[in-house]
Amino acid sequence: GDSVTQMEGPVTLSEEAFLTINCTYTATGYPSLFWYVQYPGEGLQLLLKATKADDKGSNKGFEATYRKETTSFHLEKGSVQVSDSAVYFCALSDAGNNRKLIWGLGTSLAVNP
Amino acid sequence: DAGITQSPRHKVTETGTPVTLRCHQTENHRYMYWYRQDPGHGLRLIHYSYGVKDTDKGEVSDGYSVSRSKTEDFLLTLESATSSQTSVYFCAISGGTETQYFGPGTRLLVL
């Protein structure tokens, strides 16, 4: 079945460092891909999404490109801030199946000043 | 922000007691979901609803039941709470697109 694999954390960076969180997927169809962020003590928020191959999603300085050839949707940010400390989840849509999403296990990011 | 509330936000209960968690939305979205979040397991789908009175099981439905008698409310019931059901429970909704919007969560501790 369809699945999502994201890099294990925790990831620890210094402020202004470059961030990459890897996400790869397996899917039989043409899913949409998502990144969600969860700040401490809160629910998940949509960070960005892409609905077809070669689309780039972007928000708050974060970017991810839907790469069908490598089945990847890696999250990047050029210069992280302490306020980016959170858990990041990659997900894909279970096409046609009641709008369910298939989730990665999450990657914890800690940014130190 | 999507209008989703969950109640209660925190609950402590004893093993063997029934517990009901409520998810309320003001977005008139068709789809609603209950997840649990546990360290090392990410998010796991418990039950979901695709319309009033239309529900189905997710991957970890044993020990849980749900009801949706109106569009805005989706109830999750732990029939007889066990310590393994100690978790953080999230409700999510989805409407015109595949994007899901999440509530703030309910922290449940079963003693």
Side-chain angles (χ1 to χ4, degrees), chain A residues 12-15 82 85 110-113:
Chain A
T12 303
L13 295 173
S14 297
E15 206 165 23
V82 172
S85 298
V111 180
N112 298 319

Side-chain angles (χ1 to χ4, degrees), chain B residues 2-111:
Chain B
I4 312 168
T5 57
Q6 292 184 232
S7 58
R9 295 292 314 279
H10 302 270
K11 186 164 181 71
V12 180
T13 192
E14 294 188 350
T15 296
T17 60
V19 175
T20 295
L21 308 182
R22 179 183 184 232
C23 177
H24 178 78
Q25 59 144 329
T26 58
E27 305 296 321
N28 201 35
H29 282 351
R30 177 181 175 188
Y31 299 91
M32 299 185 76
Y33 311 84
W34 276 109
Y35 292 94
R36 58 179 290 174
Q37 183 178 31
D38 305 287
H41 293 277
L43 285 173
R44 292 182 289 177
L45 182 66
I46 305 171
H47 280 279
Y48 63 98
S49 170
Y50 46 97
V52 173
K53 293 187 168 51
D54 291 323
T55 65
D56 205 349
K57 297 178 180 180
E59 60 184 303
V60 290
S61 60
D62 286 350
Y64 300 94
S65 62
V66 290
S67 67
R68 189 167 178 202
S69 59
K70 45 187 178 176
T71 299
E72 56 265 36
D73 288 326
F74 193 31
L75 303 181
L76 177 70
T77 298
L78 288 65
E79 294 141 10
S80 177
T82 68
S83 59
S84 65
Q85 293 176 313
T86 291
S87 187
V88 181
Y89 291 86
F90 287 102
C91 174
I93 64 175
S94 179
T97 70
E98 298 157 313
T99 302
Q100 291 186 12
Y101 300 94
F102 282 77
T106 294
R107 290 188 175 274
L108 176 66
L109 174 61
V110 183
L111 298 174

Side-chain angles (χ1 to χ4, degrees), chain A:
Chain A
D2 295 359
S3 66
V4 174
T5 303
Q6 58 181 109
M7 63 187 285
E8 292 188 22
V11 174
T12 303
L13 295 173
S14 297
E15 206 165 23
E16 300 184 1
F18 185 86
L19 169 71
T20 300
I21 300 178
N22 291 336
C23 173
T24 58
Y25 67 91
T26 59
T28 53
Y30 301 93
S32 296
L33 300 172
F34 303 82
W35 277 103
Y36 280 79
V37 59
Q38 183 180 31
Y39 298 105
E42 299 184 9
L44 281 72
Q45 304 174 23
L46 177 68
L47 181 59
L48 53 85
K49 70 177 186 180
T51 58
K52 61 184 186 298
D54 299 325
D55 269 1
K56 178 186 283 188
S58 61
N59 186 24
K60 299 181 181 178
F62 292 89
E63 294 183 339
T65 301
Y66 190 159
R67 301 282 189 204
K68 195 170 190 302
E69 64 276 13
T70 55
T71 61
S72 65
F73 193 54
H74 304 321
L75 182 68
E76 297 182 335
K77 187 176 185 183
S79 175
V80 294
Q81 306 300 311
V82 172
S83 57
D84 294 326
S85 298
V87 180
Y88 294 81
F89 291 90
C90 185
L92 66 82
S93 60
D94 195 354
N97 196 356
N98 287 309
R99 306 281 176 88
K100 290 192 289 184
L101 296 181
I102 297 169
W103 296 89
L105 293 181
T107 302
S108 175
L109 170 66
V111 180
N112 298 319

